[in-house]
Amino acid sequence: VTTDTGYHDEEGLAVYEAAMALPYLGYARYALSKILRKAGVDPATSLDLACGSGHLVKDLSARGWRAYGCDLSPDMVARAAARYPDLRDHFFVADMSRIPPSRSYDLVTVVFNSIHYLSREGRGGLWRSLAETLADGGLFVSQQTDCSARETYWLKQSHVWTAETGYAVWTGGLGPSEDVIEVEKLYFERQEDGRFRLFRATHPYHFFPLAEMHQGLAGQGIEVLSVLDGRTLGPAGPGCQSVWVVARKKACGLQS
Ligand SMILES: C[S@@+](CC[C@H](N)C(=O)[O-])C[C@H]1O[C@@H](n2cnc3c(N)ncnc32)[C@H](O)[C@@H]1O
């Protein structure tokens, strides 16, 4: 079954929930809190883009943030609201390349490689949206894979995660153009009788050089402060696969 990027059907949702049960979420919470501590940011208003079923929003809320989350998929937003009813009004449907400018945020996050769902045009929309919705001095934090990882991480390896509920295998394959990889996500859910049920979703991931992101953000008055190695959270060197990009909107607003 091939889904679009919205995780609309039962298969896609099962793959999503499995992925979230895997160690990524604990890692993302840890890394984000460390980055925020280092940046000296006090809790204020935050928005998690591509928030899925809302785990990171809940986590930020528990740490004192007025935390919001948006997702392209109405199913995901409904799931998030059902899972965290105390935050029901904090989830909304929106494309991250067109964030409604109805509120301003001190922190905008996009984790779990979700930025790779955006095409070049979509990324341009995201940079513009950030300029409209980040408060002056507000932070943008993105976890993604570096474009060098397209080959090393996605095309030359498969990734296997195990959890109590089963195990997952993610494998990249060539997409319709050079910058796109089709990531096939298999999830083998352990059944009571010991057998496994297979769920499958395929999502296109778009890769882009970090320089494009630097320029796109800079053009909107948002400065990249650091690019961190996803493993060490120290400065990223050549060949890093997962990176965290930390950027801040300048207080003076748009540059010419
Ligand atoms: C791996 S999940 C993100 C995990 C989430 N941050 C959490 O804490 O649970 C990826 C999500 O990206 C969403 N998505 C894909 N394209 C999107 C877009 N253009 N705008 C907003 N959300 C998008 C999908 O619907 C999916 O829920």
Side-chain angles (χ1 to χ4, degrees), residues 20 22 46 83 92 112 116 144 149 157 184 210 228 237 247:
M20 284 292 134
L22 298 167
S46 65
R83 172 168 276 154
F92 55 94
F112 211 160
H116 293 299
Q144 60 199 59
Q157 307 173 45
E184 183 188 52
L210 278 171
L228 304 174

Side-chain angles (χ1 to χ4, degrees), residues 110-130:
V110 55
V111 300
F112 211 160
N113 296 320
S114 303
I115 201 167
H116 293 299
Y117 284 120
L118 295 177
S119 64
R120 190 185 177 90
E121 195 189 356
R123 292 192 296 274
L126 172 59
W127 317 144
R128 285 191 296 279
S129 270
L130 288 170

Side-chain angles (χ1 to χ4, degrees), residues 29 32 36 42-49 51-71 77 80-81 84-92 103-109:
R29 286 180 178 140
L32 184 60
L36 295 179
D42 290 324
T45 304
S46 65
L47 174 66
D48 185 36
L49 304 173
C51 71
S53 58
H55 302 284
L56 199 67
V57 176
K58 177 64 183 174
D59 188 59
L60 284 169
S61 166
R63 287 194 274 135
W65 288 81
R66 242 181 340 276
Y68 294 85
C70 70
D71 199 282
V77 170
Y84 301 118
D86 51 323
L87 293 170
R88 166 177 305 276
D89 299 333
H90 285 220
F91 295 109
F92 55 94
R103 197 177 284 113
S104 106
Y105 302 96
D106 305 285
L107 169 68
V108 175
T109 53

